[in-house]
Amino acid sequence: TDVQDAINEEALKEKYLDKSKKNPGKTAQAGMVLLDHKTGYVLGVMGGLGEKTTTLGFNRGTSQVKQTGSSMKPLSVIVPGLTTGTITGATVYIDQPTTWGNGPKPYSPKNYDGFEKRFFVNMRQAIEVSANVPHVKALSNIGTEASVDFCESIGMPRFEAEGLSLALGGLNGGVSPTQMAAGYASIASGGTYRAPIFYTKVTDSKGKVLYEPEKVENRVMTEQVAYIASDILK
């Protein structure tokens, strides 16, 4: 409860309530999930910013699905790449404008800061500055199927339709903060995915256990891959 109380207190702070430019009267919103990567137990959830006025409000921590952007790179590129042996932290790519496909809709991802500062970058450097092109190049070498399979193994939808945009979190549907937290937890735990658990048990008035949640645990990467992925992310 101390974790949840801290989250609730933070969510009420006015500094986060940026007013919307498109929808007058509305403010920015956010969701958050904090879980224990060693057990899968969810320690706290933020369903939204500002004061809660109803018990039936929309929980953005568990139910809001959005594109993930660059926070997907470690899950859709780094881990699948290490697992398949396609990349290491030292694998080098040229970080310059690149186009995939020559049809009516070629794919030409850009970098947030352009291309003027870098040329050759290894994967450690690429994740440090969140360079887009090297990650797309890496995924094109890895193959999207390996990436799709891994994302599905950590509780995400099957992203078959996304193609190379999966490297950058360009998703047709999206994922929730709960799913992202569980995905990252699989790296922190040494390679074991644990489905998030929101309660410990249900008992009757006499303390008899009526129901306990099913614990789902699957090894989704080797300890070695988890170690290297964690090291890259440092």
Side-chain angles (χ1 to χ4, degrees), residues 153-173:
S153 76
I154 54 174
M156 294 183 178
R158 188 159 182 83
F159 297 125
E160 290 183 319
E162 276 72 3
L164 291 177
S165 65
L166 179 56
L168 310 181
L171 311 177
N172 290 298

Side-chain angles (χ1 to χ4, degrees), residues 4 12 31 48 71 88 92 137 142 158 160 180 192 194 204 212:
Q4 187 63 56
L12 292 174
S71 60
T88 70
V92 174
K137 287 184 175 181
I142 297 163
R158 188 159 182 83
E160 290 183 319
M180 286 299 288
T192 298
R194 295 179 173 90
D204 62 17
E212 290 184 282

Side-chain angles (χ1 to χ4, degrees), residues 57-189:
F58 183 63
N59 190 328
R60 293 169 182 83
T62 60
S63 302
Q64 178 76 68
V65 294
K66 285 183 171 291
Q67 293 191 8
T68 62
S70 291
S71 60
M72 183 62 90
K73 289 171 180 173
L75 303 177
S76 63
V77 179
I78 300 298
V79 172
L82 294 172
T83 297
T84 58
T86 310
I87 64 168
T88 70
T91 300
V92 174
Y93 288 100
I94 297 176
D95 186 20
Q96 289 292 298
T98 306
T99 297
W100 282 265
N102 54 9
K105 293 184 178 181
Y107 185 45
S108 302
K110 303 293 190 297
N111 286 333
Y112 178 76
D113 59 353
F115 298 95
E116 297 179 1
K117 299 179 181 179
R118 298 178 302 274
F119 195 81
F120 292 109
V121 295
N122 62 37
M123 291 308 296
R124 288 179 182 274
Q125 296 166 328
I127 201 72
E128 180 183 358
V129 298
S130 196
N132 289 335
V133 171
H135 284 89
V136 178
K137 287 184 175 181
L139 183 56
S140 70
N141 293 148
I142 297 163
T144 55
E145 185 175 355
S147 180
V148 169
D149 288 345
F150 176 72
C151 289
E152 188 176 36
S153 76
I154 54 174
M156 294 183 178
R158 188 159 182 83
F159 297 125
E160 290 183 319
E162 276 72 3
L164 291 177
S165 65
L166 179 56
L168 310 181
L171 311 177
N172 290 298
V175 298
S176 69
T178 301
Q179 291 170 314
M180 286 299 288
Y184 270 88
S186 68
I187 300 175
S189 68

Side-chain angles (χ1 to χ4, degrees), residues 44-58:
V45 178
M46 182 176 76
L49 296 172
E51 186 174 356
K52 190 175 181 180
T53 58
T54 173
T55 58
L56 301 177
F58 183 63

